[in-house]
Amino acid sequence: MRLRRLSHQIYLTIIIILIVVVGLASVAWRVALNRGPTAEAFGVAAEFAAAAVPGPDAPLSEQKDAIRQLSRKLDIDMALFNEMRELIVQSGDRSVLPPTRFQDESGFMFRRRKFAWALQLPDGRWLVSQSRRRGPPRPGLRLIFFLGVVALIVGLCAWPVVRGLTRRLETLQTGVEKLGRGDLGARVDVQGRDEIAALANSFNSSAERIETLVASHRLLLANASHELRTPLARIRLALELIQDETNPRVRSELEKDIGELDEMIEEILLLSRLDAGVRSDVREDVDLLALVAEEAARYTDCDLDGVPTLMRGDPQLLRRLIRNLLENAKRHGKAPIEVKLDRVPGSSSVARLSVTDHGPGLGSEDAERVFEPFHRGSSRGRERGSGLGLALVRQIAAQHNGTAAFAPGIDGRINRVVVTLAI
């Protein structure tokens, strides 16, 4: 049984409280048994008994006859003890419970499966009356049994209530987890009118607002990309129509700027889709080493060392990840670029892709921040770039149950990006 579950904790608390209540009630009953009106009744009975039993100076035969007569009339076993609780006379052959030395007044006695009444006479003697039946349930046990039955009934009735309460919380937890995984249409059923129902209503309202905001965000990005690409297309067309005498350098710079702007728009759209938790539905068998080799062949001074690796994934996203890593190393680092593909030590189901350049490396303060969108490392120059490449690398790695982080190279400089991917 997992006690960490809220239903078990609440139910166990109820059971413990019931056990404590039963224990305290039985102790209180035993303490109160010989107090109040009961003590007064024992005092009156002791006065009557003293009138029926000869005094301590009477012969033993008279005391014994009196005890026998009372025993016969009341149909109980009786015994008479002196002040030292030593037996004086008793009726019959059955032993009668003696009053203990801890007993200082009249009251009930429970010992050795026997139930007796002890009356302290005014002269200090003790008259003990004991039932002739053996083994009946004691009054204390009857009370404990009764309270135990009540506790059992309460426990059985409490479990459906507790389980129903926590089941609604579990349903709410499931809805939160679905929303966290990117299912923006996740909603939970609202049951009842209590605090949990109010919490479910709040969750549904928040989820609806989040879904609306994300939908508006996607619509804005789609419209913005369309509006941005329209003038880009016109600029390209204009460049094609420019006369040949146009400065080739200016023309080249314009084309480069247009290409960079177009690439930035594409990366913004892809990053926004991945940030929104939209997982790619494409899952194919990908030869990762072949994919890395194809991209590495586009760069000079790029050395590749790897082992054959077959994995399930989106080939387009993986190609984008590899290309961004190599482009980042070329743009912000220094040749040669070393690419290595192997397995994480101790795990045959996780591939590791590392790209190392020979540039100055990152400062420790930038090693994590460069994975933020639009952030450029302060120690890696101000070359062209949108600051989205490594952000996309991390998001694509997460899409394939992996990670991306900078790590020190062999020389200690932070110039190596390590990406893990689940095979």
Side-chain angles (χ1 to χ4, degrees):
M1 182 177 65
R2 296 185 302 165
L3 296 182
R4 291 185 178 181
R5 297 190 63 172
L6 182 60
S7 59
H8 293 165
Q9 294 181 18
I10 297 176
Y11 190 65
L12 183 60
T13 301
I14 294 175
I15 296 300
I16 292 176
I17 292 175
L18 289 174
I19 293 174
V20 171
V21 169
V22 170
L24 292 177
S26 61
V27 172
W29 182 83
R30 291 293 298 271
V31 172
L33 190 61
N34 296 324
R35 299 288 189 272
T38 304
E40 296 177 1
F42 273 108
V44 173
E47 294 293 337
F48 280 105
V53 178
D57 298 332
L60 289 177
S61 58
E62 293 183 11
Q63 297 183 40
K64 189 173 184 178
D65 290 340
I67 294 299
R68 286 177 177 175
Q69 290 178 8
L70 285 174
S71 176
R72 190 180 306 111
K73 289 179 180 179
L74 299 176
D75 193 24
I76 56 177
D77 292 330
M78 302 187 71
L80 187 63
F81 298 85
N82 60 18
E83 296 181 4
M84 304 301 296
R85 290 151 174 90
E86 297 172 346
L87 181 63
I88 300 176
V89 295
Q90 74 173 30
S91 63
D93 298 329
R94 299 169 61 89
S95 61
V96 178
L97 289 175
T100 65
R101 59 188 180 88
F102 302 104
Q103 191 167 357
D104 56 359
E105 59 184 6
S106 301
F108 294 103
M109 296 191 305
F110 308 92
R111 291 200 307 276
R112 300 195 296 270
R113 294 179 57 82
K114 294 180 180 180
F115 176 64
W117 302 265
L119 299 175
Q120 187 175 26
L121 304 181
D123 55 29
R125 292 178 300 169
W126 290 85
L127 180 63
V128 179
S129 304
Q130 180 177 291
S131 175
R132 289 177 176 174
R133 293 176 297 173
R134 293 184 60 84
R138 301 177 184 177
L141 293 180
R142 291 177 181 176
L143 176 64
I144 294 176
F145 176 76
F146 171 74
L147 293 176
V149 172
V150 172
L152 179 62
I153 294 175
V154 172
L156 293 176
C157 295
W159 173 248
V161 178
V162 172
R163 190 68 189 101
L165 177 68
T166 56
R167 185 178 291 112
R168 292 161 61 196
L169 290 175
E170 291 173 359
T171 302
L172 184 60
Q173 179 188 3
T174 302
V176 173
E177 291 175 350
K178 287 182 178 179
L179 184 65
R181 289 194 297 265
D183 183 5
L184 301 181
R187 301 292 186 272
V188 296
D189 295 332
V190 180
Q191 302 175 1
R193 298 181 179 178
D194 53 10
E195 290 83 352
I196 298 180
L199 183 60
N201 272 320
S202 299
F203 169 78
N204 289 339
S205 300
S206 300
E208 184 175 358
R209 287 195 296 270
I210 292 173
E211 186 177 20
T212 302
L213 289 173
V214 172
S216 300
H217 176 65
R218 290 175 180 171
L219 181 61
L220 176 63
L221 285 174
N223 291 334
S225 65
H226 175 73
E227 296 299 328
L228 285 172
R229 278 174 170 165
T230 299
L232 282 176
R234 290 200 298 265
I235 293 174
R236 274 204 176 95
L237 181 60
L239 282 175
E240 295 295 333
L241 298 177
I242 290 179
Q243 297 179 358
D244 295 337
E245 61 268 13
T246 304
N247 189 333
R249 181 182 176 189
V250 174
R251 182 186 180 93
S252 175
E253 288 295 327
L254 284 174
E255 290 178 348
K256 187 181 297 185
D257 289 339
I258 293 172
E260 184 176 341
L261 185 56
D262 193 25
E263 183 181 357
M264 183 186 301
I265 293 172
E266 183 180 354
E267 289 184 340
I268 290 175
L269 291 173
L270 178 58
L271 183 62
S272 65
R273 187 171 73 249
L274 297 178
D275 280 338
V278 179
R279 297 190 66 86
S280 172
D281 295 330
V282 179
R283 282 294 183 269
E284 301 176 4
D285 290 333
V286 179
D287 187 343
L288 191 58
L289 181 60
L291 203 61
V292 174
E294 289 179 14
E295 291 299 317
R298 299 172 61 244
Y299 298 86
T300 59
D301 296 329
C302 183
D303 300 326
L304 173 61
D305 178 21
V307 296
T309 302
L310 188 66
M311 63 173 292
R312 296 283 294 177
D314 187 330
Q316 296 301 323
L317 289 181
L318 292 173
R319 185 180 294 276
R320 166 73 70 169
L321 178 146
I322 299 167
R323 184 173 299 177
N324 284 5
L325 288 175
L326 295 175
E327 189 65 26
N328 178 79
K330 175 187 176 183
R331 181 175 296 170
H332 302 289
K334 185 178 179 182
I337 301 173
E338 298 176 358
V339 182
K340 183 176 182 181
L341 178 63
D342 58 1
R343 304 292 173 85
V344 172
S347 176
S348 59
S349 60
V350 180
R352 179 174 62 182
L353 175 64
S354 60
V355 178
T356 307
D357 63 68
H358 289 75
L362 283 172
S364 57
E365 68 279 1
D366 288 326
E368 180 63 24
R369 294 195 61 195
V370 291
F371 290 98
E372 299 175 3
F374 301 106
H375 178 81
R376 297 178 178 89
S378 58
S379 62
R380 305 204 82 180
R382 295 295 179 183
E383 293 83 356
R384 291 176 178 270
S386 62
L388 295 175
L390 292 180
L392 278 172
V393 166
R394 175 164 285 184
Q395 289 289 354
I396 295 173
Q399 285 270 328
H400 294 82
N401 301 317
T403 60
F406 264 94
I410 299 177
D411 54 5
R413 290 177 295 176
I414 304 177
N415 57 0
R416 181 165 64 104
V417 184
V418 179
V419 176
T420 61
L421 301 168
I423 299 177

